[in-house]
Amino acid sequence: MKPMPQPRNRVLFVSTDVVGPDMAGPGIRAWELAHALAAQCDVTLAAPDSATPPPSPSVRALPYRLGQAGALAPALAAADVLVGQGFAFEHHPELLAADLPLAVDLYDPLIIEGLELYASADIAAAEAQHARYQALTEAQLRRGDFFFCATAAQRDYWLGALTGVGRINPATARATDRELLGLVGLVPSGIDPAPPPPPAT
């Protein structure tokens, strides 16, 4: 008698950026990582305002309106695991409130990025944005069950940040491996493994 196939986890990957012909870095990363996960899981990729996502045989695309209350509720109800990025958590607090295992993509350190983005702004405006990024970052660090970033240097940064909010402690250390890779993993920036075609001559 053949063994029954094991059910595949249903993963909801929430991108903070559009997915389509003119994708920026966050959208490209979400697209590629969603497809990597699709080898083992049933993946829905939710992307804001993405009316024409690329066709995919392995990932279900779900356009949603960023900031619209309840826009992600049906997808959350159908998911077993949640993966998310940056500002999606700010615009949709229900993601952090969901009773699902949560993996947080920390490849873009908003606090550090903000120091450059607002370097020439009025100091009051810069401090307001910094407080916003600080609050969003801390909310993710306190809620996430697993975190991943793109480089070893980023990982060192996030280990320090997690220590600062009390997430690295004796109980955490005993629940994972000695290097804490079960808490903070490395996932290089997603690119298509196939090389691009040569330009037309």
Side-chain angles (χ1 to χ4, degrees), residues 8 11 13 19-21 23 27-28 30-39 41-47 50-63 192:
R8 288 158 57 99
V11 175
F13 195 127
V19 171
M23 289 185 280
I28 294 170
W31 178 258
E32 295 298 337
L33 295 185
H35 281 81
L37 286 170
C41 307
D42 293 329
V43 180
T44 296
L45 174 58
S50 298
T52 55
S56 170
S58 57
V59 172
R60 174 178 173 254
L62 174 66
D192 192 326

Side-chain angles (χ1 to χ4, degrees), residues 94-114:
E94 66 270 23
L95 298 175
L96 294 180
D99 187 20
L100 291 172
L102 171 62
V104 181
D105 186 0
L106 294 171
Y107 94 103
D108 183 9
L110 297 174
I111 294 174
I112 302 301
E113 182 182 58

Side-chain angles (χ1 to χ4, degrees), residues 154-176:
Q154 284 189 352
R155 186 171 187 272
D156 289 342
Y157 174 81
W158 290 118
L159 286 171
L162 285 161
T163 301
V165 297
R167 289 298 307 274
I168 294 179
N169 51 54
T172 303
R174 295 180 189 191
T176 184

Side-chain angles (χ1 to χ4, degrees), residues 34-197:
H35 281 81
L37 286 170
Q40 302 290 331
C41 307
D42 293 329
V43 180
T44 296
L45 174 58
D49 305 314
S50 298
T52 55
S56 170
S58 57
V59 172
R60 174 178 173 254
L62 174 66
Y64 73 96
R65 180 70 64 182
L66 192 66
Q68 179 180 330
L72 294 169
L76 279 171
D80 301 310
V81 178
L82 175 62
V83 183
Q85 298 173 323
F87 289 111
F89 294 113
E90 179 183 59
H91 292 288
H92 292 273
E94 66 270 23
L95 298 175
L96 294 180
D99 187 20
L100 291 172
L102 171 62
V104 181
D105 186 0
L106 294 171
Y107 94 103
D108 183 9
L110 297 174
I111 294 174
I112 302 301
E113 182 182 58
L115 296 176
E116 180 62 27
L117 288 174
Y118 296 95
S120 59
D122 173 83
I123 187 62
E127 288 179 345
Q129 287 298 332
H130 184 79
R132 174 192 174 199
Y133 292 166
Q134 182 83 37
L136 175 57
T137 299
E138 288 189 11
Q140 294 174 74
L141 296 180
R142 293 183 187 281
R143 168 61 182 88
D145 298 294
F146 177 71
F147 307 90
F148 58 99
C149 54
T151 68
Q154 284 189 352
R155 186 171 187 272
D156 289 342
Y157 174 81
W158 290 118
L159 286 171
L162 285 161
T163 301
V165 297
R167 289 298 307 274
I168 294 179
N169 51 54
T172 303
R174 295 180 189 191
T176 184
D177 55 284
R178 294 292 294 273
E179 295 183 357
L180 300 176
L181 289 168
L183 180 65
V184 186
L186 277 179
V187 181
S189 189
I191 59 172
D192 192 326

